[in-house]
């Protein structure tokens, strides 16, 4: 699977999320960083974060508008490395309000696993849904 295919499949998992299955996309020492918040380090911590997040919000529809890849496109997962960036709208429900959150995601892939995932977004839509903004 190429890095592009891996990220496309990974994003599709979030509509009906299984935290254990999502965590398997990550390297053991991976870093997941929602830029407005503190990073989550390690596959186990990422699985716990995803479990808590999905318990609160349920599934998320990652509506990817553009996705670009830089790096190897080997179909061999062990050799699959590169950087994938996508521009998307993450759609989820918070406090009964549908939130459409514009996001830019940057995924670093090494050996067919996500080693780093950074999401860049504005907290304002989330704060508005929670009454905090």
């Amino acid at each position: 699977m190429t890095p592009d295919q891996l990220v496309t499949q990974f994003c599709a998992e979030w509509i009906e999320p299984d935290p254990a299955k999502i965590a398997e996309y990550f390297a053991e020492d991976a870093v997941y960083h929602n830029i407005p918040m503190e990073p989550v380090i390690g596959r186990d911590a990422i699985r716990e974060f995803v479990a808590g997040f999905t318990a609160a919000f349920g599934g998320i529809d990652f509506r990817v508008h553009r996705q670009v890849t830089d790096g190897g496109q080997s179909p061999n997962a062990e050799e699959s490395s590169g950087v994938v960036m996508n521009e998307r709208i993450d759609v989820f429900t918070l406090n009964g309000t549908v939130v459409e959150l514009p996001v830019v995601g940057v995924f670093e892939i090494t050996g067919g696993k996500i080693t780093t995932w950074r999401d860049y977004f504005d907290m304002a839509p989330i704060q508005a849904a929670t009454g905090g903004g």
Side-chain angles (χ1 to χ4, degrees):
M1 182 178 318
T2 68
D4 186 71
Q5 292 167 331
L6 180 108
V7 171
T8 297
Q9 184 175 315
F10 173 78
C11 289
E13 295 285 352
W14 285 85
I15 195 83
E16 293 182 20
D18 174 344
K21 190 172 181 182
I22 288 171
E24 285 302 311
Y25 283 86
F26 290 90
E28 199 63 46
D29 60 349
V31 176
Y32 170 37
H33 193 182
N34 282 312
I35 294 303
M37 303 172 219
E38 292 296 315
V40 179
I41 301 170
R43 183 188 295 153
D44 292 338
I46 291 168
R47 184 182 61 249
E48 290 175 25
F49 178 86
V50 170
F53 188 87
T54 57
F57 301 108
I60 305 170
D61 184 5
F62 283 21
R63 296 181 183 167
V64 178
H65 299 289
R66 286 170 198 79
Q67 185 161 293
V68 296
T69 304
D70 180 34
Q73 292 296 306
S74 172
N76 181 344
E78 290 76 36
E79 297 173 9
S80 182
S81 298
V83 175
V84 179
M85 298 175 69
N86 62 26
E87 178 182 21
R88 61 184 201 267
I89 303 290
D90 291 0
V91 181
F92 56 93
T93 302
L94 177 60
N95 294 336
T97 301
V98 174
V99 176
E100 294 188 4
L101 185 67
V103 178
V104 170
V106 179
F107 301 82
E108 296 177 22
I109 313 297
T110 302
K113 295 285 186 181
I114 299 169
T115 55
T116 305
W117 175 22
R118 292 181 302 278
D119 270 349
Y120 297 85
F121 58 91
D122 184 347
M123 289 290 289
I126 296 171
Q127 291 168 337
T130 61

